[in-house]
């Protein structure tokens, strides 16, 4: 075995540093929280903040979009699974998780909102993250229809938007201080169900 081949083999088999990985993801989130736009965020800036070389980043992600996606996915956490025995309980369990996750989300998501309006990359990143959550809610509504709890003719996409919007605005934008964040998911679900529930 040549020296160069041995070196390549050792490098390929070297375990990745969990600490470096975490530092890179933290650096991305910190830079966005400080106001750096998604378009302006660069591999160089992330490497400098994380204290790693650019090669360390490129070994983990093929491009900036993949790196960003993992960072925001980590911030948001995995898509929640509905719990409960009926459509109301299952919807409340999902709506309660909106804007939940890492405590840094309250600082970072408001920074991303303007980005989603002007940047296609930021918009696609957000859609990639939020779509599995929308699908969970769709499935709960479809099951509610199948179980006879929800009217069959509802527009599922519109209902998902109505269930999600008020809680997201309240938690991320602090829209109305008179609202109780803990009680709001149940209140929103009850209001929506009053309009879409199947006849008794």
């Amino acid at each position: 075995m040549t020296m160069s081949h041995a070196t390549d083999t050792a490098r390929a088999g070297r375990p990745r540093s969990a600490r470096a990985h975490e530092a890179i993801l933290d650096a991305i989130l910190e830079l966005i929280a400080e106001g750096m736009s998604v378009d302006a965020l660069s591999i160089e800036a992330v490497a400098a903040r994380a204290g790693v070389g650019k090669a360390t980043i490129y070994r983990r992600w093929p491009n900036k979009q993949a790196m960003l996606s993992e960072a925001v996915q980590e911030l948001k956490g995995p898509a929640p699974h509905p719990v409960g025995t009926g459509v109301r309980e299952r919807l409340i369990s999902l709506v309660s998780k909106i804007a939940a996750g890492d405590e840094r989300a309250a600082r970072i998501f408001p920074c991303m909102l303007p980005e989603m309006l002007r940047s296609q990359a930021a918009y696609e990143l957000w859609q990639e993250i939020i779509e599995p959550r929308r699908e969970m809610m769709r499935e709960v509504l479809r099951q509610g229809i199948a179980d006879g709890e929800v009217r069959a003719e509802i527009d599922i996409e519109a209902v998902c938007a109505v269930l999600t919007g008020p809680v997201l605005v309240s938690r991320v934008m602090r829209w109305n201080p008179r609202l109780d964040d803990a009680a709001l998911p149940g209140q929103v679900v009850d209001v929506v169900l009053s309009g879409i529930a199947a006849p008794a």
Side-chain angles (χ1 to χ4, degrees):
M1 179 183 296
T2 65
M3 179 62 70
S4 61
H5 182 69
T7 302
D8 290 343
T9 301
R11 183 179 295 116
R14 183 174 57 196
R16 294 175 177 174
S17 166
R19 185 176 299 174
H21 196 89
E22 183 177 349
I24 293 165
L25 297 180
D26 284 343
I28 296 166
L29 298 175
E30 288 169 5
L31 289 168
I32 294 173
E34 291 169 7
M36 181 174 285
S37 70
V38 171
D39 288 344
L41 189 73
S42 65
I43 299 294
E44 290 79 8
V46 173
R49 175 62 65 93
V52 301
K54 289 191 293 183
T56 301
I57 294 176
Y58 283 119
R59 279 198 296 269
R60 289 162 169 77
W61 298 280
N63 51 49
K64 185 178 84 170
Q65 187 74 1
M67 177 185 71
L68 270 167
S69 178
E70 182 171 341
V72 181
Q73 291 273 15
E74 180 177 272
L75 178 71
K76 187 70 174 167
H81 288 271
V83 296
T85 57
V87 68
R88 180 180 183 274
E89 290 183 7
R90 291 195 289 266
L91 285 175
I92 290 175
S93 74
L94 292 180
V95 174
S96 296
K97 298 296 184 182
I98 293 171
D102 192 304
E103 62 184 10
R104 293 172 295 181
R107 291 186 293 118
I108 291 171
F109 285 130
C111 294
M112 291 192 67
L113 288 175
E115 286 293 296
M116 285 184 274
L117 295 176
R118 68 169 196 82
S119 166
Q120 185 65 23
Y123 175 77
E124 290 174 358
L125 173 63
W126 177 250
Q127 292 301 318
E128 178 184 336
I129 291 165
I130 210 68
E131 177 57 25
R133 290 165 167 77
R134 277 197 295 254
E135 184 57 26
M136 287 287 185
M137 192 169 287
R138 293 184 192 112
E139 284 298 321
V140 169
L141 291 168
R142 292 183 192 119
Q143 188 61 51
I145 293 170
D147 293 342
E149 295 184 80
V150 175
R151 297 203 317 266
E153 70 272 17
I154 66 166
D155 184 325
I156 287 180
E157 297 303 320
V159 172
C160 287
V162 173
L163 286 166
T164 303
V167 178
L168 185 63
V169 169
S170 180
R171 290 186 174 174
V172 174
M173 306 303 294
R174 300 180 181 178
W175 179 69
N176 187 345
R178 296 183 179 181
L179 293 173
D180 181 346
D181 278 352
L184 189 59
Q187 293 169 333
V188 169
V189 169
D190 285 341
V191 169
V192 173
L193 283 179
S194 70
I196 68 170

